[in-house]
Amino acid sequence: MHKVLSRLNGPCLLGKTHSWTAVDVFVKLHKGSGALCQKSAVKQPPPELPEMPACDFKPELYQGMSKECLIGIRKHNCNPMTMQVTYYKKPVFINQGYMQWLWDVDGRRYLDLFAGVVTVSVGHCHPKVTEAAEKQLRRLWHTTAIYIYPQMQEYAEKLTALLPEPLKVVYFMNSGSEANDLAVLMARLHTGNFDIITLRGSYHGGSPQATGLTSNAVYKYPVPSSMGCHNTMCPDVFRGLWGGSQCRDSPVQTIRECSCSPGHCQANDKYIDQLKEVFDTTVPRRIAAFFGEPIQGVGGAIQYPKNYLKETYQLVRERGGICIADEVQTGFGRTGSHFWGFQGHNVIPDMVTMAKGIGNGFPMGALVTTAEIASSFAKGVHFNTFGGNPLACAIGSSVLDTIKEERTQENSANVGTYLMMELAKLRNKYEIIGDVRGKGLQIGVEMVKDKASRDPLPSQNMNQIFEDIKDMGVLIGKGGLYGQTFRIKPPMCITKDDADFFLAVFNQAVLNYMERK
């Protein structure tokens, strides 16, 4: 356990390593009559900040454009959305990264717990992946699949070996949106049906077809997008109409009461009834597909009742549809218990789409399906100039090797479970922390006005805590339909010491917010 605090008033903790967790330390310090939930009447001195874990890596000195120049170009020459999505009142200007760490242009170090939007899987500039990329760059950057080059075949064999039968045919492309676009087309051609069902709150990309799959108004424009896409109620057992304390496959359950008998989930039955109603009222008797993330990512790490996907897959297949697992955020060992998120639901989809962690930040994506579905698609010509090029495949292959050699899936399970259990202790102490959920290093912390109402914490309040966390040296994300959920989805190389540092920072940021109220 690393030294959670650099300095504390009182000699008992000064410079000593102890067996307490970061949460224990702060609970001990702030325990008392409502001190965790009420503003103190006594003016407290500024808190001592947690000590960041050590890092031996030395970043290069930044010698580029000034911050003012960078912002000016961003405002006037980059597309306007880049300013809208820029995090923080005081933005972070990133210069360099190594493993779980990022450095800004001033040389300040940050613990990255968002991984470039859940994309850096094994670590920023991981030495093994970097070496593989450099080696391939010196040999052959690019050629296309009209020629045969070993990198694509070697990688296709290695990737499909990680998926169960009959998922053995892979298509390579450049992003998750592109993979989901292709999945829509293939599903419609194979089934001869048109309509597709997704879950409310889902995010499947920003391309024209994927925008139709996405069910969040923030990402919608007032133009037709992928007609034939329909949504069913998201089986969110925390914020949804139904839920309890035994519903989800997570180390941490909701605080909602549960009266279900062992082995039976009433909430699951209710959400399945909602899906059946969509079948009865909204779509034709035959459909093309159901799209689902094993755990919703942008939606805020939403988890479903344990049998929901299993029963959904059965109902979809009865109506002629295929089942598509969007593993863009949950794949490659991030959930800890399995390599793919769908495996935690005890299902086998007909297609799996993937991106983000597949290349550790290199832009690539893939779709894996069955030989039967692939043969339906072979009636026309499909070609992707960049998909599966030598450089992408060399990098993807090295990522798979690194995940195996460094046991990052196991690390996701161990560190992620520890982090969630400690966050649950904070949830039990603070009225504004409504829910902690997830698996492995796919974690959401939902913030509320109060636990009774479960109303989302307003965005201006979220931003105060968010900014404080950044100022103390940690970068996390936000998500959820109302932006009310902190997303903690780091590179899978983080350590327990890193987790303790974040816990101390998060605790202090919440305390700071309570003091300002």
Side-chain angles (χ1 to χ4, degrees):
M1 187 77 64
H2 80 283
K3 299 172 187 175
V4 177
L5 299 178
S6 56
R7 294 175 297 281
L8 285 171
N9 294 328
C12 61
L13 293 177
L14 187 61
K16 293 184 180 179
T17 302
H18 50 79
S19 60
W20 290 359
T21 67
V23 173
D24 295 328
V25 171
F26 277 98
V27 167
K28 183 79 174 175
L29 289 175
H30 296 280
K31 200 171 181 181
S33 57
L36 287 170
C37 301
Q38 300 175 13
K39 184 175 180 178
S40 173
V42 180
K43 186 68 176 176
Q44 300 294 328
E48 294 286 350
L49 297 182
E51 182 181 345
M52 186 176 284
C55 174
D56 294 333
F57 183 83
K58 302 298 181 185
E60 297 174 6
L61 180 67
Y62 177 73
Q63 296 179 316
M65 292 180 179
S66 68
K67 293 179 184 177
E68 292 76 17
C69 188
L70 292 170
I71 282 287
I73 294 171
R74 191 175 181 87
K75 286 180 178 177
H76 299 296
N77 301 109
C78 296
N79 86 71
M81 193 56 64
T82 57
M83 284 306 300
Q84 289 191 42
V85 300
T86 298
Y87 270 6
Y88 307 115
K89 246 182 339 184
K90 297 178 181 177
V92 179
F93 293 76
I94 297 299
N95 176 44
Q96 194 165 356
Y98 180 76
M99 301 305 285
Q100 65 268 51
W101 303 105
L102 289 170
W103 285 264
D104 68 15
V105 297
D106 298 317
R108 183 178 181 188
R109 178 161 57 107
Y110 295 88
L111 175 63
D112 181 13
L113 296 190
F114 199 33
V117 192
V118 206
T119 299
V120 178
S121 48
V122 296
H124 291 283
C125 301
H126 191 289
K128 292 178 183 176
V129 181
T130 301
E131 182 182 1
E134 290 175 346
K135 184 178 179 181
Q136 187 59 48
L137 277 167
R138 287 190 291 268
R139 178 180 297 155
L140 180 65
W141 287 29
H142 175 73
T143 187
T144 70
I146 60 175
Y147 308 114
I148 299 173
Y149 46 92
Q151 291 79 16
M152 187 169 80
Q153 282 66 227
E154 290 169 358
Y155 180 54
E157 182 181 45
K158 188 181 292 187
L159 179 63
T160 56
L162 294 166
L163 287 137
E165 292 285 355
L167 296 166
K168 295 299 174 182
V169 181
V170 60
Y171 295 76
F172 293 119
M173 60 280 299
N174 310 295
S175 70
S177 294
E178 195 176 342
N180 286 333
D181 256 14
L182 181 61
V184 170
L185 179 60
M186 293 178 72
R188 286 172 170 163
L189 287 171
H190 177 70
T191 63
N193 304 322
F194 189 72
D195 293 80
I196 292 173
I197 296 174
T198 63
L199 298 175
R200 292 176 194 160
S202 62
Y203 180 82
H204 296 287
S207 58
Q209 299 245 56
T211 306
L213 301 172
T214 294
S215 178
N216 185 328
V218 171
Y219 300 98
K220 299 287 190 180
Y221 291 91
V223 294
S225 60
S226 193
M227 294 176 65
C229 292
H230 311 275
N231 312 124
T232 188
M233 183 181 287
C234 178
D236 180 350
V237 298
F238 172 70
R239 179 164 298 284
L241 293 178
W242 306 286
S245 59
Q246 303 173 42
C247 294
R248 62 194 183 200
D249 178 22
S250 174
V252 180
Q253 299 292 331
T254 73
I255 58 174
R256 296 176 75 168
E257 293 183 3
C258 187
S259 57
C260 298
S261 57
H264 182 76
C265 180
Q266 296 175 18
N268 183 67
D269 294 345
K270 295 289 188 181
Y271 289 117
I272 289 293
D273 285 343
Q274 290 294 310
L275 175 61
K276 289 177 179 177
E277 187 170 322
V278 171
F279 285 135
D280 292 338
T281 62
T282 309
V283 296
R285 295 190 179 277
R286 305 287 288 178
I287 66 170
F290 168 81
F291 263 85
E293 303 162 87
I295 299 174
Q296 281 193 352
V298 175
I302 302 296
Q303 291 181 280
Y304 326 128
K306 294 171 188 173
N307 288 323
Y308 180 81
L309 282 188
K310 192 169 187 178
E311 293 184 33
T312 295
Y313 276 26
Q314 180 180 342
L315 291 171
V316 168
R317 286 167 173 157
E318 287 173 0
R319 286 157 178 81
I322 66 170
C323 300
I324 302 169
D326 181 335
E327 293 274 357
V328 170
Q329 294 196 24
T330 49
F332 299 91
R334 179 163 290 279
T335 62
S337 62
H338 300 86
F339 198 84
W340 305 106
F342 69 77
Q343 293 171 314
H345 295 271
N346 195 25
V347 295
I348 298 179
D350 304 291
M351 281 187 200
V352 180
T353 58
M354 57 193 78
K356 290 188 181 286
I358 191 173
N360 197 45
F362 188 84
M364 61 185 299
L367 180 157
V368 180
T369 189
T370 67
E372 181 185 4
I373 294 173
S375 66
S376 299
F377 192 54
K379 295 170 185 176
V381 175
H382 170 76
F383 184 74
N384 191 307
T385 301
F386 292 102
N389 78 11
L391 181 58
C393 289
I395 290 172
S397 182
S398 180
V399 169
L400 293 182
D401 292 342
T402 302
I403 289 171
K404 181 179 179 180
E405 292 164 7
E406 300 189 357
R407 303 175 73 177
T408 60
Q409 180 182 329
E410 182 179 334
N411 191 61
S412 292
N414 294 339
V415 177
T417 299
Y418 170 76
L419 185 50
M420 275 183 277
M421 297 300 288
E422 294 299 310
L423 284 167
K425 294 177 185 177
L426 293 180
R427 177 201 62 185
N428 296 340
K429 296 292 180 181
Y430 289 110
E431 184 67 12
I432 62 169
I433 302 178
D435 195 32
V436 173
R437 54 180 175 260
K439 283 185 69 178
L441 291 172
Q442 178 90 340
I443 301 171
V445 180
E446 183 155 351
M447 308 299 285
V448 295
K449 290 181 179 178
D450 58 80
K451 287 185 170 73
S453 70
R454 300 197 302 277
D455 288 340
L457 192 68
S459 59
Q460 63 269 26
N461 304 74
M462 287 287 293
N463 289 340
Q464 291 175 26
I465 300 171
F466 194 58
E467 198 89 20
D468 257 8
I469 292 169
K470 177 262 294 182
D471 289 342
M472 286 187 274
V474 181
L475 305 179
I476 60 174
K478 286 187 294 184
L481 204 56
Y482 312 102
Q484 80 280 16
T485 302
F486 291 125
R487 298 169 66 195
I488 302 155
K489 302 170 183 186
M492 294 186 288
C493 57
I494 69 160
T495 67
K496 192 165 172 282
D497 281 355
D498 299 330
D500 282 329
F501 173 62
F502 166 68
L503 290 163
V505 165
F506 183 60
N507 188 87
Q508 186 61 56
V510 175
L511 282 172
N512 293 347
Y513 169 78
M514 302 304 297
E515 285 293 316
R516 287 191 295 262
K517 281 183 67 177

